[in-house]
Amino acid sequence: MGIRPAFRHHSSNELGAFDMNERLQGLKVVSFDVKDQAGDDTVIMFKVPGEPAGWEITEASITLHSGFSADGSNHITLTIADAGSDGTGTTLIASRGGASVAWAADGVYEFTMGSSDPYPIDADDWVALKWDETGTVAATGTLGVVLAPGQRGTT
């Protein structure tokens, strides 16, 4: 898999205006336009900032622009993965979807965090989205990931 951005970056907001504590001041919200992958695919979304040395992914959510009724024949499962420093890793961060998961148009859906909540991730690691499609699902939307300064990553 070559490292290739699949989404157009919308924003990365540093909430430095909030004087609540150091952790909140470094909070970053990264959002992307999700394009229909028309089948199974894994794409790189973004690279974790180099400073500070450790970050935590605290939450992720998605809004689809058009809804669909998922069933055994037509559904998607979206998985956010820590792709490591070389972009090839597959460690689960969070997921959403499956045969019994409904997707209404313009609904906001939280991803379920994996075994680490929040997920510690190293600076300069790549974050990927795995799009696992069964049948035919035409979906576009906006995906958001929240990063906070935290532990020294996964090592």
Side-chain angles (χ1 to χ4, degrees), residues 75-99:
H75 62 273
I76 56 173
T77 299
L78 304 177
T79 302
I80 298 172
D82 180 346
S85 60
D86 65 358
T88 63
T90 59
T91 305
L92 171 73
I93 297 172
S95 64
R96 164 100 175 118

Side-chain angles (χ1 to χ4, degrees), residues 8-76:
R8 187 181 78 232
H9 181 263
H10 273 312
S11 64
S12 177
N13 299 322
E14 183 166 328
L15 302 178
F18 289 81
D19 192 28
M20 296 174 77
N21 61 43
E22 188 175 306
R23 183 175 165 84
L24 182 59
Q25 288 179 0
L27 188 70
K28 300 215 180 279
V29 179
V30 185
S31 64
F32 301 89
D33 282 344
V34 177
K35 303 204 181 320
D36 182 28
Q37 297 302 303
D40 295 351
D41 201 3
T42 299
V43 292
I44 295 295
M45 292 193 300
F46 65 94
K47 189 173 187 177
V48 176
E51 293 291 330
W55 290 89
E56 294 176 335
I57 293 180
T58 60
E59 63 184 284
S61 62
I62 190 165
T63 301
L64 294 184
H65 301 303
S66 59
F68 64 92
S69 296
D71 58 31
S73 299
N74 295 293
H75 62 273
I76 56 173

